[in-house]
Amino acid sequence: QVQLVESGGGLVQPGGSMTLSCRASGLTLDNHIIGWFRQAPGKEREAISCVARDGTKEYYEDEDLKGRYTISKDSAKNTVTLEMRNLQPEDTAVYFCAAGYYSYCVVYTDPRNIDYWGQGTQVTVSS
């Protein structure tokens, strides 16, 4: 049984940083693409970042948000993390770890291509 378990969400002040982690079980990260989506209240789920089988990283941020996120994968620990910096209230959302049985991240932005989802972790940016 495949499980993706996120951790690290919570409340952070504007301008702060937060790191989310996702531990995968029942699948091997080196055989999947994996990354993060987020869904803000009243909005569609959107892809943030993806790591391909070969370790290539893709980011799908708006220009205003570019450079504030860093994704990394630890194949030995079957874990993927998302470091977020200079968080703003508009970053408030439920963040989901997501994986698909593909080689490259080109398909990652369409949620219909995702095979496995985590339960989500709430990130709230507020003073």
Side-chain angles (χ1 to χ4, degrees):
Q1 182 181 359
V2 174
Q3 282 191 313
L4 303 177
V5 180
E6 303 99 336
S7 61
L11 176 65
V12 62
Q13 292 187 340
S17 300
M18 180 176 286
T19 297
L20 305 180
S21 294
C22 172
R23 184 173 180 86
S25 59
L27 62 80
T28 301
L29 291 190
D30 287 346
N31 291 336
H32 293 75
I33 58 175
I34 189 164
W36 295 88
F37 281 73
R38 71 180 183 183
Q39 187 166 20
K43 294 188 177 181
E44 293 185 353
R45 195 170 295 191
E46 60 179 1
I48 300 171
S49 184
C50 171
V51 181
R53 290 189 185 189
D54 63 359
T56 303
K57 302 174 184 180
E58 297 286 347
Y59 296 93
Y60 309 111
E61 304 163 73
D62 294 337
E63 285 297 322
D64 290 342
L65 306 178
K66 194 167 288 185
R68 298 196 293 115
Y69 301 129
T70 301
I71 192 170
S72 59
K73 180 178 74 170
D74 186 331
S75 297
K77 296 182 179 179
N78 237 28
T79 299
V80 62
T81 61
L82 184 69
E83 298 176 42
M84 304 182 290
R85 299 171 294 277
N86 191 23
L87 286 163
Q88 301 300 318
E90 53 265 35
D91 294 311
T92 295
V94 179
Y95 285 70
F96 297 90
C97 181
Y101 190 60
Y102 299 96
S103 296
Y104 301 105
C105 290
V106 64
V107 301
Y108 196 76
T109 56
D110 187 342
R112 296 172 296 179
N113 293 324
I114 299 302
D115 296 310
Y116 308 107
W117 293 94
Q119 80 285 357
T121 185
Q122 177 69 47
V123 173
T124 301
V125 184
S126 176
S127 56

